């Protein structure tokens, strides 16, 4: 079974204040637009993001190439997704806060994929990057410091 529901309820959304209080959290910018699928997310990320965020590309990292049978955004091969997770230093035991600027619709895809792989605490930032800014959070243009993940976190890869 690829996805097994957990018996305990987990929080899916997290407030800005709760997200900033998390220790060792990783923020992932999931901004994307159907009107500009290749350029919108990277351009918005370059303009400004939550400090120390990493970027996930909907087209390249969270989806495979579409086929006539697959639909617009089929899931990527598991090995590709795990490779991306490792390269960004995302680990199953660390809190991961996914955010976008589209009401959580893009962040939800990453959240779901992480949950399916057994990540313990992925959440979606309630209100997205807009809520971050409204709460007085600053935006940054510096690259995040990334330490690649251990292979122990992904024994099936």
């Amino acid at each position: 079974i690829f996805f097994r529901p957990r018996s305990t309820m987990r929080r899916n959304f997290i407030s800005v204040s709760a997200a900033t209080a998390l220790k060792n959290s990783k923020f992932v910018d999931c901004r994307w637009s159907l009107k500009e699928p290749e350029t919108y997310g990277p351009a918005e990320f370059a303009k400004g993001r939550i400090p120390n965020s990493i970027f996930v590309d909907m087209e390249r990292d969270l989806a495979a190439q579409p086929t006539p049978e697959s639909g617009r955004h089929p899931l990527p091969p598991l090995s590709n997704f795990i490779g991306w997770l490792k390269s960004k230093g995302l680990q199953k035991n660390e809190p991961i806060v996914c955010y976008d600027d589209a009401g959580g619709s893009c962040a939800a895809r990453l959240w779901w994929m992480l949950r399916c792989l057994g990540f313990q605490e992925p959440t979606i930032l309630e209100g997205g990057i807009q809520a971050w800014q409204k709460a007085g959070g600053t935006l940054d243009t510096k690259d995040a410091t990334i330490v690649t993940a251990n292979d122990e976190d992904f024994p099936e890869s």
Side-chain angles (χ1 to χ4, degrees), residues 63-75:
Q65 287 295 320
T67 66
E69 298 82 27
S70 69
R72 182 181 295 140
H73 291 101
L75 290 172

Side-chain angles (χ1 to χ4, degrees), residues 30-51:
C30 304
R31 287 180 282 178
W32 176 81
S33 169
L34 185 58
K35 291 180 183 179
E36 303 172 63
E38 302 292 331
T39 59
Y40 179 81
E44 291 300 305
F45 184 74
K47 287 181 197 173
R49 59 215 174 240
I50 293 173

Side-chain angles (χ1 to χ4, degrees), residues 2-123:
F2 186 66
F3 177 70
R4 186 174 305 141
R6 309 272 188 234
S7 60
T8 58
M9 274 302 273
R10 296 189 188 271
R11 60 177 184 224
N12 299 329
F13 289 90
I14 190 167
S15 68
V16 171
S17 61
T20 55
L22 287 174
K23 292 185 177 167
N24 300 320
S25 61
K26 304 267 177 106
F27 285 82
V28 183
D29 187 324
C30 304
R31 287 180 282 178
W32 176 81
S33 169
L34 185 58
K35 291 180 183 179
E36 303 172 63
E38 302 292 331
T39 59
Y40 179 81
E44 291 300 305
F45 184 74
K47 287 181 197 173
R49 59 215 174 240
I50 293 173
N52 214 31
S53 290
I54 59 173
F55 179 71
V56 64
D57 190 299
M58 175 74 76
E59 301 292 319
R60 186 182 67 240
D61 304 319
L62 299 183
Q65 287 295 320
T67 66
E69 298 82 27
S70 69
R72 182 181 295 140
H73 291 101
L75 290 172
L78 184 57
S79 60
N80 291 10
F81 184 56
I82 288 175
W84 179 82
L85 293 169
K86 286 181 182 179
S87 75
K88 299 301 181 183
L90 299 177
Q91 298 183 29
K92 290 182 178 181
N93 62 346
E94 293 179 326
I96 298 173
V97 180
C98 312
Y99 70 91
D100 60 28
D101 60 2
S105 61
C106 300
R109 182 173 179 109
L110 177 61
W111 172 88
W112 177 79
M113 290 171 72
L114 293 171
R115 287 293 309 271
C116 288
L117 287 180
F119 277 70
Q120 299 301 307
E121 293 296 327
T123 55

